[in-house]
Amino acid sequence: MLTAITGINWGDEGKGRMVDLLSEDYDIVVRYQGGNNAGHTVVNDRGKFILNLLPSGILRPDVVNVIGNGVVVDIKHLVGEINKLRGLGIEITPDNLKLSDRAVIVMPYHVDQDCLEEDRLADAKFGSTKRGIAPVYGDKYMKKGIRLGDLLDSEEDLKERLRAIIEWKNLLIEKGYGIKPIIFEDMWSYLKEYGDIVKDYVCDTGLYLNEANKEGKNIMFEAQLGALRDIDFGIYPFTSSSSTIAPYAPIGAGVPNLKLTNSVGIMKAYSTCVGEGPFTAEIFGDKAEELRKAGNEYGAATGRPRRVGGFDILASRYGVRAQGSDVIALTKLDVLSYMEEIPVCVAYKFGDQILDEFPIGEKLFKAEPVYEYKKGWMKDISGCRRLEDLPNEAIDYIKYLEEVVDCKIKYVSVGPERDQYIVMA
Ligand code: GDP
């Protein structure tokens, strides 16, 4: 079984929590895109964990975790994350963590460049998490990246490569932004310090995954951000710099020859968005604060308060289509339990036009939400484990969402803990 678990919305849908739950049936979990710029929060019987780079399967002792070639890897951050988890009793060795030799390394100058550019943009900033992700993906496509596999080459080869890249980079940094040049020796000692630790985990993960697939192992592909942050299909330019969608999963994992057997979309029962960019369904004031508190909507990586809104039909249906989801896991339904009426954004208004498909450009940036309200259930549902335990209004809401996004909702999550979910008939 080759399953992709992806986000339908703007991210923070609870993907980590669903991967943690569903990975029980999987032998391998692979991250296939993004870097350490987002956080997955996982709560299970071993504690509460925030993962930035490591696949969520790392919390299961018998699961092998892979960071694929589509990911960009901040090696200092990775070493820190591994040490932190080890401190919490999680065992991490080259047997349960494998890093693609083709994944590109995030260097300190990528982080600097990210900060310099956001500062230059000032009020027009993108809301970058300043982890160097856009600059490193830019360099990857300029063919100026250093890959994890390069750490296994001879020192002379790697030095030569690094020197050539720094020479080019300094043209931009020193002459463009007018700051001090990058010093080769600093970058070399950085690569040595952290590269020497991570290189034990580096291998041809595509080969490993192909062999595992032949042996009949179950592989799960884990996305880092939602469909609306995809570089091609998201709210460009307020997107991430990589492909977050399920069809990219085999490519970013290193197995472009394999086809997914199953695509599970994680969709939130309401909307949230971190940082800048168009977010039509956004609500403000007391109602927003109430929802933010109820859902504990503060960024896992940055602690930033998330923007919140009602469920957005246009964005979610579009997200389901971009992902090609076979089934959906609906998360955080319990958060809506305090609402007498549940707001749902059913259309966008642009001037005197009513839009019922997710737009791009000006229409997206200037649209206003058209809201309708569904009856709430006003009952704690976090203890429900079967469909029949849910109040009728909650079942009606689930059925309604299923219809408007045109995809079966198979799982409903009613709390952050591993067992707080319902499998739909
Ligand atoms: P991810 O990046 O998609 O994994 O999502 P985040 O980790 O950023 O955000 C999801 C948050 O919601 C985490 O704090 C989870 O523990 C929590 N969570 C996930 N599912 C549920 C749920 O069904 N109900 C509630 N109340 N919290 C949930």
Side-chain angles (χ1 to χ4, degrees):
M1 210 161 35
L2 300 169
T3 302
I5 304 262
T6 57
I8 296 302
N9 311 114
W10 296 261
D12 307 314
E13 297 93 348
K15 290 179 295 296
R17 177 252 187 286
M18 288 312 294
V19 172
D20 178 63
L21 169 68
L22 300 175
S23 57
E24 189 177 18
D25 300 327
Y26 290 80
D27 305 292
I28 301 168
V29 178
V30 192
R31 269 279 308 270
Y32 64 86
Q33 54 80 215
N36 59 318
N37 52 330
H40 287 320
T41 314
V42 180
V43 186
N44 60 30
D45 47 13
R46 302 172 82 177
K48 179 175 175 175
F49 304 90
I50 294 180
L51 305 170
N52 299 127
L53 256 177
L54 292 168
S56 310
I58 202 77
L59 304 174
R60 290 196 181 266
D62 40 6
V63 168
V64 176
N65 296 271
V66 173
I67 292 187
N69 51 278
V71 179
V72 287
V73 182
D74 181 323
I75 50 179
K76 180 177 176 186
H77 184 97
L78 179 64
V79 169
E81 205 170 314
I82 291 174
N83 287 340
K84 204 160 141 198
L85 285 185
R86 279 199 183 129
L88 295 167
I90 308 291
E91 201 178 324
I92 302 178
T93 69
D95 287 334
N96 72 339
L97 177 65
K98 299 187 186 294
L99 312 175
S100 169
D101 51 4
R102 289 162 173 80
V104 176
I105 299 175
V106 183
M107 294 293 288
Y109 52 76
H110 293 123
V111 180
D112 293 344
Q113 209 181 332
D114 210 351
C115 297
L116 286 167
E117 182 56 14
E118 281 287 280
D119 291 348
R120 188 189 72 80
L121 288 168
D123 289 346
K125 66 183 192 296
F126 284 117
S128 163
T129 48
K130 299 186 178 174
R131 307 273 170 104
I133 308 300
V136 72
Y137 273 112
D139 283 7
K140 170 175 171 170
Y141 287 96
M142 296 279 282
K143 285 104 53 188
K144 306 280 191 199
I146 296 170
R147 309 204 291 184
L148 286 174
D150 296 341
L151 299 171
L152 307 178
D153 288 349
S154 69
E155 286 204 352
E156 294 85 80
D157 278 11
L158 182 54
K159 273 188 176 163
E160 201 178 310
R161 181 153 184 76
L162 181 66
R163 218 183 285 280
I165 290 174
I166 288 178
E167 188 184 308
W168 167 76
K169 201 69 177 174
N170 275 337
L171 295 175
L172 299 172
I173 300 253
E174 203 184 354
K175 304 221 168 62
Y177 288 103
I179 61 151
K180 281 196 212 129
I182 303 160
I183 312 283
F184 169 81
E185 285 72 23
D186 293 350
M187 291 305 110
W188 177 249
S189 53
Y190 177 88
L191 272 185
K192 285 297 292 170
E193 182 176 356
Y194 299 103
D196 278 354
I197 302 173
V198 303
K199 73 182 182 194
D200 290 347
Y201 300 82
V202 176
C203 62
D204 181 345
T205 53
L207 190 60
Y208 168 74
L209 290 172
N210 261 300
E211 292 299 320
N213 180 57
K214 271 189 209 147
E215 288 165 19
K217 298 252 164 74
N218 289 331
I219 305 172
M220 176 181 282
F221 302 92
E222 177 183 21
Q224 176 216 28
L225 290 162
L228 300 171
R229 299 291 188 187
D230 181 83
I231 182 78
D232 289 287
F233 301 103
I235 51 172
Y236 190 86
F238 295 95
T239 56
S240 193
S241 304
S242 59
S243 297
T244 63
I245 53 170
Y248 181 74
I251 298 172
V255 284
N257 53 314
L258 301 183
K259 287 196 179 56
L260 293 177
T261 42
N262 196 15
S263 174
V264 182
I266 313 300
M267 184 171 89
K268 208 160 172 166
Y270 53 95
S271 303
T272 59
C273 171
V274 174
E276 315 294 321
F279 182 43
T280 312
E282 185 163 15
I283 55 172
F284 302 90
D286 292 348
K287 290 234 177 306
E289 199 46 40
E290 233 179 341
L291 180 53
R292 191 174 294 119
K293 283 218 178 87
N296 191 24
E297 297 298 350
Y298 302 90
T302 57
R304 289 188 285 186
R306 292 176 184 150
R307 298 158 73 193
V308 296
F311 184 85
D312 182 330
I313 293 181
L314 280 67
S316 304
R317 184 170 57 220
Y318 175 80
V320 170
R321 181 154 59 89
Q323 296 290 14
S325 307
D326 298 308
V327 292
I328 286 187
L330 183 69
T331 56
K332 302 196 101 166
L333 189 65
D334 55 300
V335 172
L336 303 182
S337 296
Y338 74 93
M339 289 183 175
E340 243 170 88
E341 288 190 309
I342 300 175
V344 178
C345 175
V346 295
Y348 292 177
K349 197 166 178 303
F350 175 69
D352 51 11
Q353 290 177 53
I354 296 291
L355 311 175
D356 55 9
E357 290 296 342
F358 192 69
I360 62 163
E362 187 189 36
K363 285 188 174 142
L364 177 62
F365 288 93
K366 296 190 178 152
E368 309 245 341
V370 178
Y371 265 110
E372 280 182 7
Y373 295 85
K374 297 279 151 195
K375 199 160 182 283
W377 44 92
M378 301 286 286
K379 227 179 263 164
D380 179 12
I381 57 167
S382 60
C384 298
R385 296 293 175 269
R386 294 170 311 164
L387 178 63
E388 38 297 14
D389 299 340
L390 286 172
N392 285 339
E393 293 83 356
I395 298 176
D396 289 348
Y397 186 65
I398 297 167
K399 294 282 167 205
Y400 172 71
L401 297 189
E402 204 165 47
E403 197 183 308
V404 294
V405 302
D406 193 21
C407 191
K408 168 140 185 71
I409 295 177
K410 186 167 174 198
Y411 308 95
V412 176
S413 171
V414 291
E417 307 276 340
R418 201 177 257 176
D419 69 337
Q420 288 183 296
Y421 73 99
I422 295 167
V423 180
M424 304 289 286

